[in-house]
Amino acid sequence: MSFTKESRVAAAHAARRSAYRIDKPRSRAQARLARFALFWKSLRRNPLTMLGLGIVGMLVAVAILGPVFSPYDPVSQDLAMRLMGPSANYWLGTDELGRDIFSRILHGARITLSIIVLVVGIAAPFGLVLGCVSGYLGGWLDIAIMRITDIFLAFPRLILALALVAALGPGIENAVIAIALTSWPVYARVARAETLVIRSANYVRMARLQGASAWRVIHRYVIPMCINSMVVRVTLDMAGIILTAAGLGFLGLGAKPPSPEWGAMIAAGRQYMFDQWWLATMPGLAILIVSLGFNLLGDGLRDALDPRD
């Protein structure tokens, strides 16, 4: 009886393992499902990657549902409760205006996630297309695009973002534009390096022999092959985007008061650092944890998407 039960368990494990090995998929959907299963299996082998995925998932959940479960209004002032330490009523304490820090961090997660999504949505596609075009066409266009890229990369991101925000004016919209304008050169460099290898592949040569235009080759064959490396680069770069946005908020050039942006919260609490340490420490820990989560997830994605494995 035990032998039969053990055999069934072994057969179930073998069936699950066979789901990852489809030598001859019957459809494109089945091939994609098998590829995703292998990808997910590779991610699960790394506990740090799963920790990073959990942190990022928590950020998304807090950004979506946090304001619903927020115990207090993040901008409502109560001077009678100002500078209260962490307690049962105020889990992370209150700030200099009596506002609940925990509620403000929950609402600030939505601002942080919005900045990340907007910056990545602007900078990553622009850098990807520009890098692929530069690497595939080459010639004077490649030289011109790369020299412009070098100019942007010559300045530290935060310094260049500060200059752009100072020209555009303070505000979260202008901060997003400034961070996006300082982020695309890295993506263009990565896409160009990938394109220089892909453009000499046999399937690209066959497409050219069949009369495919340069844009069709770039759109159908080059860009899809660059997406994996671009996803890894974007994930690793999100921590830098968070720190840049927090730096702009710290200097008063990001979200405007009383918006609960994490960098602005640190700036408001710096004068109380030694006596009321929680004002700056709690939003700083939020930035640290989220940045660490994206870095861990990016490292795991790099290992899982490495074609040499």
Side-chain angles (χ1 to χ4, degrees), residues 3-308:
F3 177 76
T4 304
K5 184 177 181 180
E6 292 176 357
S7 300
R8 291 178 178 176
V9 173
H13 285 296
R16 281 195 293 268
R17 286 195 299 269
S18 64
Y20 299 111
R21 304 188 185 95
I22 301 178
D23 297 329
K24 295 181 179 180
R26 299 178 181 178
S27 64
R28 183 175 298 179
Q30 190 179 33
R32 290 176 178 173
L33 180 62
R35 185 169 56 186
F36 176 78
L38 289 172
F39 169 73
W40 177 247
K41 183 180 179 181
S42 177
L43 285 183
R44 290 180 58 186
R45 284 200 298 260
N46 191 338
L48 291 179
T49 303
M50 299 308 296
L51 175 61
L53 182 61
I55 293 174
V56 174
M58 182 180 65
L59 172 66
V60 175
V62 169
I64 296 174
L65 302 176
V68 178
F69 298 101
S70 176
Y72 299 96
D73 187 342
V75 299
S76 178
Q77 301 180 14
D78 186 1
L79 297 180
M81 304 301 294
R82 65 187 300 269
L83 301 177
M84 297 289 293
S87 62
N89 293 328
Y90 301 98
W91 292 355
L92 302 182
T94 61
D95 63 5
E96 72 281 4
L97 297 176
R99 298 171 297 192
D100 181 45
I101 294 179
F102 178 70
S103 300
R104 290 178 64 79
I105 289 178
L106 291 182
H107 285 261
R110 177 172 293 184
I111 298 176
T112 300
L113 186 62
S114 300
I115 293 174
I116 293 173
V117 172
L118 290 173
V119 170
V120 170
I122 296 172
F126 180 75
L128 174 62
V129 174
L130 205 61
C132 291
V133 171
S134 175
Y136 183 79
L137 297 180
W140 65 268
L141 182 62
D142 180 33
I143 295 174
I145 293 175
M146 287 302 103
R147 295 300 75 79
I148 295 174
T149 302
D150 291 338
I151 293 173
F152 276 88
L153 293 175
F155 298 93
R157 175 182 294 184
L158 181 57
I159 301 300
L160 187 56
L162 284 173
L164 292 173
V165 172
L168 297 173
I172 191 169
E173 297 85 1
N174 293 335
V176 169
I177 295 173
I179 298 173
L181 288 175
T182 60
S183 300
W184 69 265
V186 178
Y187 307 139
R189 278 287 188 182
V190 172
R192 177 181 180 271
E194 291 280 341
T195 304
L196 292 176
V197 177
I198 295 171
R199 70 178 184 180
S200 59
N202 291 332
Y203 60 88
V204 174
R205 294 177 179 175
M206 290 297 297
R208 287 201 298 262
L209 289 175
Q210 292 175 357
S213 63
W215 171 245
R216 181 174 178 83
V217 172
I218 293 172
H219 174 67
R220 293 291 301 272
Y221 302 103
V222 177
I223 290 180
M225 295 300 295
C226 296
I227 289 179
N228 285 352
S229 59
M230 189 61 57
V231 169
V232 174
R233 181 67 236 187
V234 166
T235 307
L236 291 172
D237 203 39
M238 285 181 179
I241 294 173
I242 294 172
L243 293 176
T244 303
L248 293 176
F250 181 84
L251 296 173
L253 298 175
K256 299 178 181 178
S259 179
E261 197 272 328
W262 293 344
M265 291 174 63
I266 296 176
R270 61 181 174 176
Q271 57 181 322
Y272 305 97
M273 181 70 72
F274 296 103
D275 297 325
Q276 289 80 26
W277 52 269
W278 56 88
L279 271 72
T281 301
M282 298 308 177
L285 287 176
I287 294 174
L288 172 65
I289 293 172
V290 172
S291 300
L292 178 63
F294 278 114
N295 283 332
L296 293 176
L297 180 59
D299 288 337
L301 290 176
R302 180 177 55 193
D303 296 336
L305 296 175
D306 191 348
R308 294 171 295 182

